[in-house]
Amino acid sequence: MTTLRLISSMATKPLLADLVALFQAQAPSVQVQVESVGGVDAAQRVQAGETFDAVVLASDAIDKLIASGHVRSGSRVDLVHSGVAVAVPAGPSAPDISSEDALRQAVLAAPSVGLSTGPSGVQLRQLFERWGILPQIASKLVQAQPGVPVGALLARGEVALGFQQLSEMRGVAGITVLGPMPQAVQIITTFSGSVATSCAQPEAVRPLLAFWASAACRALKEQHGMSAA
């Protein structure tokens, strides 16, 4: 029995659980253990030298780990593209987000706005800056702690409007997902897998990543609100 230890960000946790099951059904001699934490924490743990066989993070985070020598150069495999959804606490209030201008007005009108510590949070701040409203709304932006989904802040009533990967918003009790961000301003994050430098069995990891990138996993990715990379 071969055991592979992976670390990933929370955005891909539900998807990876299903991808692991699908892979192990056709490779029963391989056991895959995935630990999902905040993306920032995951990258820091890899950089600190903790031993993993593979890492699944946003592609820019993978590239930084490649540059620092913590994952193997040439091993990056793009797995999914993931868009950002907009949500509010469950209830009668449902602002219009159908266009870029409508979303901008919804952000301005909301008493508080939640965003993640991940790449989508960085890009949202850039979008607010491009809209010219960042100084105006900066005091009401609430950044979720690493590993804490924005949906949890919405469900607890700590924010009135929230943005995060659709995969992390789906199935959260106590919130209403209004839909994806309008296409004109949609934020797409690519999540990739790579072989960790500390991996002692890279020959076992490469077939895993190749399978997850194959057409056999396309429908599963769509079920989780993502698209194949």
Side-chain angles (χ1 to χ4, degrees):
M1 174 70 73
T2 299
T3 300
L4 299 176
R5 184 171 180 239
L6 280 66
I7 191 166
S8 81
S9 60
M10 296 298 291
T12 53
K13 180 179 181 178
L15 171 65
L16 288 179
D18 286 346
L19 287 178
V20 166
L22 195 61
F23 177 76
Q24 290 184 164
Q26 56 94 43
S29 64
V30 181
Q31 182 181 25
V32 183
Q33 300 174 346
V34 181
E35 182 179 0
S36 297
V37 298
V40 174
D41 288 345
Q44 288 176 344
R45 287 172 61 181
V46 175
Q47 289 169 335
E50 192 168 340
T51 300
F52 296 101
D53 292 297
V55 184
V56 178
L57 291 172
S59 57
D60 61 340
I62 291 289
D63 288 344
K64 289 176 183 176
L65 291 173
I66 290 173
S68 65
H70 291 92
V71 301
R72 300 192 182 208
S73 178
S75 70
R76 173 182 146 183
V77 177
D78 293 343
L79 301 174
V80 289
H81 299 309
S82 179
V84 171
V86 188
V88 293
S93 175
D96 178 16
I97 63 159
S98 60
S99 67
E100 179 177 358
D101 185 60
L103 181 62
R104 181 177 179 275
Q105 293 304 319
V107 170
L108 285 169
S112 52
V113 178
L115 62 163
S116 76
T117 54
S120 66
V122 174
Q123 293 183 68
L124 274 167
R125 287 180 182 274
Q126 293 171 349
L127 175 63
F128 299 154
E129 188 171 20
R130 179 161 63 81
W131 280 346
I133 65 172
L134 186 56
Q136 189 176 345
I137 67 169
S139 62
K140 64 180 183 180
L141 295 180
V142 179
Q143 190 166 50
Q145 293 298 309
V148 176
V150 173
L153 302 184
L154 288 163
R156 295 196 296 257
E158 295 177 17
V159 295
L161 186 72
F163 296 80
Q164 197 163 29
Q165 307 291 330
L166 174 60
S167 60
E168 294 187 80
M169 292 284 201
R170 291 166 68 123
V172 177
I175 74 171
T176 298
V177 178
L178 303 178
M181 293 179 66
Q183 194 63 40
V185 290
Q186 176 59 279
I187 295 168
I188 301 295
T189 300
T190 299
F191 289 94
S192 309
S194 194
V195 181
T197 303
S198 57
C199 176
Q201 44 194 353
E203 70 287 345
V205 177
R206 290 192 177 97
L208 170 72
L209 296 179
F211 177 75
W212 284 352
S214 73
C217 298
R218 183 180 299 271
L220 195 55
K221 294 170 183 177
E222 292 173 354
Q223 289 172 23
H224 283 270
M226 301 180 178
S227 60

